[in-house]
Each structure stands twice: as structure tokens, then as C-alpha cells.
Amino acid sequence: MREFFRKWWDGEFIPHKNEPNSAVFFVGGTDKRHWTANRARWAVSFYLREWKWVIGSVAAVVGRSS
């Protein structure tokens, strides 16, 4: 299960395409992630940046509805 989650979270690395007989060589590539992994990364980074406001807002909503 851990390996499945890691593969989903990291995505697939796609290296740059290089011509075999070219004098120019590109190093690197891009990560192709599933759209749900992109949304999860956004939510986690938002929470880590704004945890003070998220916890306060949730506490206010829960306290108000009780």
C-alpha cells in the first residue's frame, strides 16, 4: 500500500527527449502526476502555509454549530 501511495504522490518521471545524433543534450525532465495528486499536494501545501487560520476557522465553525 505504501508503494502504491508513493507512486501516486510522486507520479511518473518523463525525461526530455534527445535526438540520438545531436550535439545538444538536455538533462532533466518533468513529473507527470495524476490530477488528484496535484490537488492533494495543493491542499497539503495550503495547510502547511496557513495552518493557523485553518485550525481557527474549523474551531469557530465547530464551536458555532454546537
Side-chain angles (χ1 to χ4, degrees), residues 16-20 22-28:
H16 293 299
K17 296 192 187 293
N18 292 302
E19 294 294 325
S22 177
V24 178
F25 182 75
F26 294 103
V27 178

Side-chain angles (χ1 to χ4, degrees), residues 1 6 16 25 28 30 32 39 43 49 59-60:
M1 187 67 170
R6 180 172 290 147
H16 293 299
F25 182 75
T30 59
K32 182 178 178 186
R39 299 300 190 276
R49 261 192 338 264

Side-chain angles (χ1 to χ4, degrees), residues 9-58:
W9 183 261
D10 291 337
E12 177 185 1
F13 180 75
I14 301 172
H16 293 299
K17 296 192 187 293
N18 292 302
E19 294 294 325
N21 296 326
S22 177
V24 178
F25 182 75
F26 294 103
V27 178
T30 59
D31 289 321
K32 182 178 178 186
R33 295 185 186 101
H34 195 266
W35 68 270
T36 55
N38 286 333
R39 299 300 190 276
R41 283 176 173 269
W42 177 85
V44 168
S45 68
F46 178 79
Y47 176 77
L48 291 175
R49 261 192 338 264
E50 306 293 341
W51 63 270
K52 303 174 281 305
W53 303 106
V54 172
I55 291 173
S57 298
V58 169

